[in-house]
Each structure stands twice: as C-alpha cells, then as structure tokens.
Amino acid sequence: MDLYLDGLLNFPNITIEKCIISESKTELTLKFLNHSIICPHCSNKIDEIHQERAISVRDLSIFGKLTILNLNRRQFYCESCHKFTTEKLDYIDFDRHTTLRYQNYIYERVRVSTVTQVAKEESLTYDRVQSIFMQVNKKKRKMVPVQNVSA
C-alpha cells in the first residue's frame, strides 16, 4: 500500500492493504508478501495453503489511537511429509492476540505504574494486563544469565 506505513509497521514480508482511521482507533488490514514457508517437519518449501482464518491483533498505538491489525492466519499443507503447519510469526503472540512489542510496552508501563492504571488506560481487563506482565517477566528472567559467585 504505502511504503511509509509499511515502514512504520516494520514487519517482514507484510504490507498494509488497507488503513481505516476512525475517532477511536486505527485498523490496518495486512497482506502477506510471501506465498510459501519452509516446512518445520521436513524442511521442504510449502506453497499450498490449506486454510486461512481471519484474526485481529492489538498493536502499539498509531496516531495516538488504539491500533488493531487484521490479518489471515495461514495453515499450510506439506505434500512431502503430509503434515499441516500453521504459520508462525515471530512478532505476534497468537494466543493473546497481541504483538510482542505491545506486550513489552505493557510490561514496561506496569513496571512504573500499576496493573490497574495500565488496564484502565489501555482499555484492557486487570487479568489481561497481569497475564501479559507475568509472561513477559518470565521470558526476561530466562534471558538473564546466571552469574557464578565464588567464595
């Protein structure tokens, strides 16, 4: 669609097909630029899409408004190993319907505020904010190397 908006989004192999800006939110409809993936089971190239399912994902605010990304979650079928694979995207948590950068944003906000305040400001439930905070915290703890302290 627009190279400036694509650059703002900064997701690989994705372009913005449509942008709708209303008073309260920005909705971006995304389109994949790649038509195939590598099968995680047998490493062959798969270009046969078995099915697509439309999903909506929350992202960081754009233009100071709640931002929703609409895209199709694609499931591929591999002719070589006869297995189905749902495409994984490194920047989206499909279980929570959020981008990872949005989760990190929520985490950082809670660190300097409260779960209640962030939930209110982001129009999320207390439980959702708490869950995102705990998940990101757990990931960050795994990434911190354990230091050996000798006596």
Side-chain angles (χ1 to χ4, degrees), residues 34-39 44-50 74-79:
N34 63 324
H35 300 288
S36 61
I37 63 168
I38 301 299
C39 179
N44 284 320
K45 182 179 170 183
I46 311 171
D47 55 9
E48 182 181 332
I49 295 176
H50 174 68
R74 304 186 299 180
Q75 185 181 59
F76 289 82
Y77 176 72
C78 181
E79 287 285 340

Side-chain angles (χ1 to χ4, degrees), residues 106 110 115 119 125-136:
I106 293 296
V110 170
V115 172
T125 65
Y126 179 95
D127 290 342
R128 183 134 188 234
V129 172
Q130 180 73 17
S131 172
I132 289 171
F133 180 83
M134 297 304 285
Q135 180 191 9
V136 173

Side-chain angles (χ1 to χ4, degrees), residues 33-77:
L33 297 174
N34 63 324
H35 300 288
S36 61
I37 63 168
I38 301 299
C39 179
H41 306 288
C42 69
S43 299
N44 284 320
K45 182 179 170 183
I46 311 171
D47 55 9
E48 182 181 332
I49 295 176
H50 174 68
Q51 68 179 0
E52 293 180 306
R53 184 173 48 105
I55 64 164
S56 296
V57 175
R58 178 91 180 253
D59 196 13
L60 294 174
S61 295
I62 299 176
F63 312 123
K65 300 171 188 250
L66 176 140
T67 300
I68 302 295
L69 308 177
N70 298 311
L71 68 151
N72 287 328
R73 184 118 194 247
R74 304 186 299 180
Q75 185 181 59
F76 289 82
Y77 176 72

Side-chain angles (χ1 to χ4, degrees), residues 19-27 63 65-66:
C19 176
I20 299 172
I21 301 172
S22 69
E23 246 181 71
S24 61
K25 67 181 172 181
T26 302
E27 278 194 77
F63 312 123
K65 300 171 188 250
L66 176 140

